[in-house]
Amino acid sequence: MPTLEDLEQQLGGLDGRRILVRCDFNVPLREGPDGRREIADDLRIRAALPTLSWLAERGAAVTACSHLGRPAGTPDERFSLTPVAERLAASAPGVEMVENLRFHAGETANDAAFADALVAGEIVVRFGNGTQRAPFDGYVNDAFGASHRAHASIVGPPRHLPSAAGRLLAREVEVIGGLRADARRPFVAVLGGAKISDKLGVVEALAGVVDTLVIGGGMCFTFLAAMGHQVGDSLCEPDFIETCERLLGGGTRIVLPSDITALDAGGTVRQMGRTLPDGCRGLDIGPGSAAEFDDVIADARTVFWNGPMGLFEDERFAAGTRAVAQSMADSRAFAVVGGGDSAAAVAQFGLVPYMDHISTGGGAGLELIEHGDLPGLAALRDSPQR
């Protein structure tokens, strides 16, 4: 992919050039003490600063754009980027911002006219030092977390402008993409989350490249059912039991929980084995499973983790997720956290400094592992101005 240095060379320097940067500022928000919305986690803003600063230091006039949430193609104050713009103004003075791209229906529809208007500078800058409407000279994609979407701001600008990958995007592709080809072994993938159907493609892709696949979270119960265990009222997808049987019979080692932390019909938290009676719902891996998972992670040289081991937002069911996070922090392995809930858990447990890479794009990372490419990456490579 073209780099920032390539873009600088193409444009004959960046001083005075107008550069549009697609960022992923889809940050979690919460209500502050004064009733205003505030940013709960600014990881994605901080992750964009190296690219924004590099461009600004070379004299570029930088305008950032992003989406936030899922407004229905029309302005909605609940999804305004105002809190992000305020935080960015303190961290990267001089960088202008466009209001939420998804306030325009053309963004998610990948409408060519909307993409044309965006690169022509006809989408009004809502924040920053001005609202000048002028065409952009170059485009940078630094939104790894949105690059699996063929949206107008992702795939449109490279058709019109000299384009490049930002520092964040390039690093994500290097790390996540590198897992498919040259991970140090033993390579272990730890997968959790609710449903096997949501991650079937990546499970099958990883089964072909990892040495061990560790599975927890709600998705483990479909595998346990495929082994003949009763799973009570736990989340289980009967339509995928046959698929799980096939995966279990394949050549990849799959490690499943040997015990479960469950909530019984009376609302009591209980430690149980792999078989759960009717009325019991598994909501976390048990302590024995946490110890077994730790042994697998301790022997690894590369670990990729995506998805919690249980309902970690509830402290009664957080032990399994905390144990996996701690195991990764303690291991000698190159530890990669696949974004989303896993990244939130690592932050919640104060273990961010001990991870080698925390991805800003959970879904994008999984799709990159599964398919080996993303629409946003292909658009950069295919840019005719390269």
Side-chain angles (χ1 to χ4, degrees), residues 71-84:
T74 188
D76 185 332
E77 189 59 31
R78 295 175 300 168
F79 300 106
S80 172
L81 280 165
T82 298
V84 174

Side-chain angles (χ1 to χ4, degrees), residues 19-36:
I19 305 298
L20 178 67
V21 183
R22 177 51 159 103
C23 299
D24 180 11
F25 292 151
N26 188 30
V27 297
L29 300 175
R30 64 190 175 200
E31 184 175 323
D34 59 357
R36 298 179 62 201

Side-chain angles (χ1 to χ4, degrees), residues 53-329:
S53 299
W54 190 93
L55 292 167
E57 287 167 2
R58 281 152 181 79
V62 181
T63 297
C65 62
S66 177
H67 73 283
L68 177 63
R70 296 184 178 181
T74 188
D76 185 332
E77 189 59 31
R78 295 175 300 168
F79 300 106
S80 172
L81 280 165
T82 298
V84 174
E86 292 172 349
R87 182 68 59 87
L88 191 64
S91 304
V95 174
E96 295 185 337
M97 272 199 68
V98 175
E99 181 57 285
N100 195 333
L101 292 168
R102 292 187 183 175
F103 284 179
H104 305 265
E107 165 65 358
T108 56
N110 192 16
D111 180 66
F114 177 72
D116 291 346
L118 186 63
V119 300
E122 295 174 1
I123 306 301
V124 177
V125 175
R126 283 284 305 275
F127 315 106
N129 298 325
T131 57
Q132 179 182 2
R133 299 189 183 191
F136 289 99
D137 301 303
Y139 169 77
V140 173
N141 183 355
D142 213 24
F144 177 71
S147 288
H148 60 315
R149 309 292 189 194
H151 289 173
S153 66
I154 297 293
V155 300
R159 299 190 187 112
H160 304 282
L161 298 173
S163 299
R167 298 290 192 233
L168 167 63
L169 181 69
R171 177 59 177 164
E172 292 273 21
V173 172
E174 177 187 4
V175 173
I176 305 295
L179 294 177
R180 288 173 55 99
D182 55 3
R184 290 179 292 177
R185 294 187 179 275
F187 177 15
V188 174
V190 182
L191 297 180
K195 299 179 180 180
I196 179 64
S197 58
D198 291 341
K199 294 181 178 176
L200 179 59
V202 75
V203 170
E204 293 182 320
L206 284 169
V209 297
V210 301
D211 299 291
T212 303
L213 193 57
V214 176
I215 296 179
M219 63 190 296
C220 79
F221 296 106
T222 306
F223 281 93
L224 292 176
M227 296 174 64
H229 294 285
Q230 184 180 353
V231 297
D233 293 351
S234 305
L235 183 62
C236 181
E237 296 177 278
D239 291 345
F240 289 88
I241 288 178
E242 186 175 335
T243 300
C244 291
E245 289 175 348
R246 174 174 54 80
L247 288 166
L248 288 167
T252 302
R253 178 192 180 201
I254 297 180
V255 178
L256 292 164
S258 59
D259 60 344
I260 300 294
T261 301
L263 197 65
D264 68 16
T268 301
V269 177
R270 300 176 59 188
Q271 300 299 327
M272 310 191 73
R274 283 179 166 174
T275 299
L276 278 63
D278 291 343
C280 281
R281 185 182 183 194
L283 293 171
D284 194 12
I285 62 173
S289 301
E292 292 160 8
F293 289 8
D294 177 71
D295 288 341
V296 176
I297 293 170
D299 290 337
R301 295 299 304 277
T302 303
V303 182
F304 171 72
W305 175 32
N306 183 283
M309 297 294 99
L311 191 66
F312 76 96
E313 297 88 350
D314 185 329
E315 186 58 35
R316 297 174 298 171
F317 308 109
T321 301
R322 182 184 289 108
V324 166
Q326 189 64 58
S327 295
M328 291 186 65

Side-chain angles (χ1 to χ4, degrees), residues 346-372:
V346 169
Q348 177 178 314
F349 303 140
L351 296 174
V352 170
Y354 304 100
M355 304 299 162
D356 293 289
H357 182 75
I358 298 180
S359 177
T360 57
L366 292 179
E367 289 204 19
L368 182 57
I369 288 174
E370 180 180 353
H371 301 295

